[in-house]
Amino acid sequence: MAIPPPAAVGDPVEAIDTPALVLDMPAFERNLDALDAAFESARAGRDDGAAPLALRPHAKSHKCPDIARIQLARGAIGVCCQKGAEAEVFVEAGIGDVLITNELVGQAKAERVARLARRARVGVCVDHRLQVEQLGRAAHEAGTVVELLIELDVGQQRCGVADAEAAVALARIIATQPALRLRGLQAYHGSAQHLRAAASRREAIATATARARAARDALLGAGFACDEICGAGTGTFVEEAAGGVYTELQPGSYVFMDLDYRRNLSAPADPDLRQALFVLCSVISRAHGGGARAILDAGLKAFAVDSGAPEPLAPGWRTDRLSDEHCVLRPAEDAPAEAPALEVGARMLMVPGHCDPTVNLHDWICAVRHGRVEAVWPVAARGALG
């Protein structure tokens, strides 16, 4: 059964059925402007000998083709996805340049990507012979060309080849597959995004940049192409841009932001990004008609809690606990005198701890401006995990 949207365009915010994802359009547009300004400043500040720089936002954050189109209209060269099924959703929506920043294993997945390459420019990350062979076979049978980036472990300790020597060895395997083309390197340091101190983030990205430079030089020295070096996220893209090695930046969460990013200490060159995404909830109980608790109609099925519980936007209340369908609020110890009363039927905007997986729990995004619903966008790639 199709899930109906929680509101219609033109509805007042008070009419949105809860729980619902709500996007504050002025804050969202301000974040887009701030990112664009920081990106242009970083690009202008690069040395003459540095590689050209492009922006490829990560669509795993929003899973929404409508938002991707806004990013492309502002100059992004394409989007990143994290799964083949996710990429398929964006290609179906008319997005013509998609990079899957992840490894794919399984012939069915390889065949899906090979078919997508008939309709769009498609890139995939690899770090093992099996991935290369499966993609090579699928692309050959589909009559397409799939472009590859060798993922290099630059500190994330997750996916990626270990070093420059391993990158060259994998490039030699790619060269045996006529339906594959080596584009370059994926050098993403995800955990650096959430190092709290700016100096710690700067140090981590300096190490990542040095490893990416060494792998690039090794590939070029062995006669292979390395046209692109991709990576960077919302918390560090200014640092990657300054290193002069990266050619594509891949921030994603900047469009929304969340509590985890709020805990980072910013550096002077970092863009001023504001909270734009909320989950709108209703108070459905006051715990036996009174007392100090307010119970909301959204719980673990509406919020990702890997980076902590959501918190109320309004002052005076704090999150006490969550269960499957409920969030229990209690008055904050330092609640101001003007803290809003929360009776049954009241509304509360909640700030998610981690925006990306929270979005994946919802079917729709209600974009609001000046108290009214301006657009209702489907989270079209929700659940696209294959």
Side-chain angles (χ1 to χ4, degrees):
M1 182 184 74
I3 305 298
V9 173
D11 281 351
V13 170
E14 293 76 19
I16 298 174
D17 192 24
T18 61
L21 277 183
V22 170
L23 182 62
D24 180 334
M25 284 299 286
F28 167 70
E29 291 168 349
R30 190 182 188 283
N31 287 349
L32 293 172
D33 290 341
L35 190 287
D36 289 347
F39 173 76
E40 290 302 327
S41 176
R43 183 158 62 177
R46 283 160 74 96
D47 296 335
D48 292 340
L53 194 63
L55 181 64
R56 183 187 293 274
H58 216 306
K60 74 179 179 69
S61 297
H62 53 70
K63 289 178 167 280
C64 177
D66 293 277
I67 292 178
R69 293 187 191 101
I70 292 171
Q71 293 171 314
L72 291 170
R74 284 172 164 259
I77 63 168
V79 300
C80 298
C81 292
Q82 202 68 355
K83 295 298 183 77
E86 194 173 78
E88 190 169 34
V89 170
F90 284 90
V91 172
E92 289 283 354
I95 307 301
D97 192 335
V98 177
L99 172 62
I100 301 171
T101 54
N102 201 0
E103 286 68 26
L104 304 179
V105 172
Q107 201 58 43
K109 289 181 172 63
E111 290 169 2
R112 165 184 265 163
V113 168
R115 290 192 298 269
L116 285 182
R118 294 171 179 160
R119 295 181 287 158
R121 184 191 188 204
V122 177
V124 186
C125 289
V126 293
D127 65 1
H128 192 275
R129 172 191 290 270
L130 179 63
Q131 302 147 6
V132 174
E133 291 173 346
Q134 289 179 340
L135 286 165
R137 181 164 57 250
H140 175 73
E141 293 173 355
T144 58
V145 173
V146 175
E147 302 180 352
L148 301 186
L149 284 86
I150 296 171
E151 182 158 13
L152 178 69
D153 183 359
V154 291
Q156 176 78 355
Q157 297 184 349
R158 191 171 61 188
C159 298
V161 299
D163 51 30
E165 182 180 358
V168 172
L170 193 58
R172 292 195 175 103
I173 296 171
I174 294 169
T176 67
Q177 299 288 334
L180 303 179
R181 185 178 80 83
L182 178 60
R183 244 158 80 176
L185 295 166
Q186 172 77 3
Y188 175 65
H189 195 341
S191 55
Q193 313 304 311
H194 307 286
L195 297 173
R196 299 307 176 206
S200 298
R201 297 194 299 274
R202 189 178 312 116
E203 181 179 353
I205 298 309
T207 299
T209 300
R211 291 179 182 175
R213 182 185 294 110
R216 177 202 63 188
D217 292 347
L219 286 172
L220 294 175
F224 295 106
C226 189
D227 298 331
E228 297 175 13
I229 299 180
C230 309
T234 295
T236 65
F237 76 91
V238 172
E239 301 298 335
E240 279 97 344
V245 170
Y246 286 78
T247 66
E248 285 188 9
L249 306 182
Q250 302 169 345
S253 299
Y254 74 95
V255 294
F256 295 149
M257 301 305 287
D258 54 34
L259 290 175
D260 192 78
Y261 268 115
R262 185 190 295 178
R263 299 181 186 113
N264 282 359
L265 302 175
S266 63
D270 291 343
D272 182 15
L273 300 172
R274 305 295 176 87
Q275 188 62 43
L277 184 78
F278 306 90
V279 178
L280 179 64
C281 305
S282 295
V283 178
I284 58 171
S285 176
R286 277 307 309 269
H288 310 294
R293 291 173 292 171
I295 293 83
L296 306 181
D297 60 349
L300 295 170
K301 295 179 183 178
F303 300 101
V305 296
D306 57 299
S307 295
E311 289 294 338
L313 179 65
W317 293 86
R318 64 175 178 84
T319 299
D320 182 61
R321 65 186 186 275
L322 290 93
S323 52
D324 283 2
E325 308 290 356
H326 302 93
C327 177
V328 178
L329 301 183
R330 288 188 180 275
E333 289 78 4
D334 56 350
E338 66 274 13
L342 291 184
E343 301 303 329
V344 171
R347 301 293 192 94
M348 176 66 79
L349 288 170
M350 300 290 290
V351 182
H354 189 179
C355 57
D356 297 16
T358 294
V359 169
N360 192 56
L361 297 172
H362 296 261
D363 290 287
W364 301 92
I365 297 172
C366 294
V368 303
R369 191 189 307 269
H370 306 313
R372 289 200 172 269
V373 177
E374 180 174 289
V376 182
W377 295 325
V379 185
R382 178 191 179 187
L385 304 178

